[in-house]
Structure formats: C-alpha cells, structure tokens
C-alpha cells in the first residue's frame, strides 16, 4: 500500500493497483456516487429552467408531471428528485414518486426543458433513459407502485422544496419508468423539477 501526500499511481485496465492510505494509515475510499460521476454515468434533467417554471396539472395518477423512461438493456439508479415550488397554488400540495415496469415513452408529453446532461463535462457517455414532462393524456402504467410522497397543507407557503434523496435508492431495470406527480387542490402550483440518476448496462449489474 502506497502512502503519498498529493499523488497516486493510476492503474491500467485489467490490473489491480495498490490501495491508497493517508499518513495516519486510514484507507482512502472514493464515494460510490462520485465514482459513477467520474465514469460519466451520472445525468441530470430539468423541468422548467431559469425564470420559467412549469404549471402543475390537476392530480391524475396516469397523467404525471415528469417521467424518466428506461429502455430494455439499461438500468437506472435514482439519486435525487427535487421539486421546487415557485407559486404556492392551493392547499394539500403533494409530491408522489412512483415506478412502473413498462417504458412509458413520449405519449402526449413534451421533452424535458433541459437534459439529459452528463455531470462530467466531456460527456463520455450518452444517456439512454428519456426524460419527459407534463403528460396531458393517460399513459399505461404496469405494476404501478408508489415509492415516496411528501405533502403540505399550508396554502401560502412558497417557495417550498420537496426532495427525494433516499439512502436506499430506487433502481429501475429496463423496461421501466420513474414518474413524479405534483398537484394541489384548486389552484395548481408552479414549480421547477430536477432529477439526477446514474445509468448502467443491465448486464453489468448481474
């Protein structure tokens, strides 16, 4: 095991480099999410951008505000979903994250405002999962399961941020999809949404 202050020896493919330790003898370990980002596997997509939020639709389970569709042969680890309220809307605001085992596809939605954007700036990999927003007609949802929800019953609270960043993340093995509903009673809120995920070839996870 090598001990260096500012440098490390880069291993070649198909070799086993020496582990690293600091001068106190503690192992140097790379955070798993950081390693995925270094490999170019982490992406972000946005619904709404800059000063232009989206307006939520009245709640309808099969007309979501946002969907990430994952094709066959690809698996996705959902790292975070952030919904940031700009206009408060009515009472009983709820964010629901769900998963299904079919690839929802485009339907009557529009493309995500921005992304998928690789969090490594030279973009060594292209995203295969497809982010879409504001579905205005019913979609097919096979084996629908609600994964997470958060709500507030205060009408006037804005801005308010809802964040799904689980310790044990949702994993979609394609075909499948992750969906987000955001709605309120009466007046619908305006919002921005950002989803961050990691992508893998499903065969690499077996």
């Amino acid at each position: 095991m090598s001990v260096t202050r500012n440098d490390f020896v880069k291993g070649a493919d198909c070799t086993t480099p020496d582990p690293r330790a600091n001068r106190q003898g503690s192992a140097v370990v790379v955070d798993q999410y950081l390693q995925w980002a270094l490999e170019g596997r982490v992406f972000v997509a946005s619904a709404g951008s800059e000063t232009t939020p989206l307006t939520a639709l009245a709640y309808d389970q099969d007309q979501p505000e946002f969907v990430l569709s994952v094709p066959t042969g690809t698996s996705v680890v959902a790292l975070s979903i952030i919904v940031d309220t700009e206009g408060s809307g009515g009472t009983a605001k709820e964010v629901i994250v769900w998963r299904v085992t079919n690839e929802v596809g485009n339907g009557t939605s529009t493309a995500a405002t921005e992304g998928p954007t690789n969090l490594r700036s030279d973009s060594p990999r292209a995203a295969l999962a497809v982010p879409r927003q504001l579905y205005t007609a019913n979609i097919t949802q096979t084996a629908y399961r609600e994964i997470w929800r958060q709500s507030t019953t205060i009408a006037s609270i804005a801005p308010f941020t809802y964040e799904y960043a689980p310790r044990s993340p949702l994993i979609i093995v394609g075909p499948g999809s992750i969906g987000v509903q955001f709605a309120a009673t009466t007046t619908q809120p305006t919002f921005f949404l950002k989803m961050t995920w990691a992508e893998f070839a499903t065969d690499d996870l077996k």
Side-chain angles (χ1 to χ4, degrees), residues 30 60 62 75 97 100 108 112 114 120-121 129 141 176 182 198:
V30 178
D60 187 334
D62 47 18
S75 291
V97 175
V100 294
T108 57
E114 292 182 356
R120 186 169 142 168
S121 64
Q141 295 172 304
F182 181 42

Side-chain angles (χ1 to χ4, degrees), residues 27-176:
V28 177
V29 180
V30 178
D31 175 81
Q32 182 68 77
Y33 293 175
L34 172 59
Q35 182 60 39
W36 292 345
L38 290 170
E39 295 171 3
R41 298 182 181 278
V42 181
F43 301 88
V44 63
S46 302
S49 67
E50 298 181 0
T51 59
T52 307
L54 302 182
T55 300
L57 306 172
Y59 177 77
D60 187 334
Q61 177 183 297
D62 47 18
Q63 293 185 23
E65 271 64 38
F66 183 86
V67 168
L68 184 73
S69 292
V70 183
T72 299
T74 297
S75 291
V76 158
V77 179
L79 302 180
S80 71
I81 299 171
I82 298 173
V83 179
D84 188 27
T85 306
E86 179 158 291
S88 61
T91 57
K93 290 181 285 296
E94 291 185 308
V95 175
I96 299 171
V97 175
W98 49 256
R99 66 89 167 140
V100 294
T101 58
N102 63 296
E103 189 178 354
V104 166
N106 295 350
T108 57
S109 65
T110 58
T113 307
E114 292 182 356
T117 300
N118 195 308
L119 290 189
R120 186 169 142 168
S121 64
D122 60 348
S123 301
R125 303 173 192 268
L128 297 178
V130 178
R132 306 283 296 184
Q133 64 193 32
L134 298 181
Y135 286 76
T136 57
N138 291 354
I139 59 173
T140 299
Q141 295 172 304
T142 304
Y144 171 98
R145 294 292 185 275
E146 181 181 307
I147 301 299
W148 177 86
R149 74 161 58 217
Q150 187 174 350
S151 62
T152 179
T153 58
I154 302 173
S156 61
I157 187 167
F160 194 87
T161 299
Y162 305 83
E163 182 174 6
Y164 171 72
R167 185 176 181 85
S168 299
L170 172 62
I171 300 171
I172 299 294
V173 178

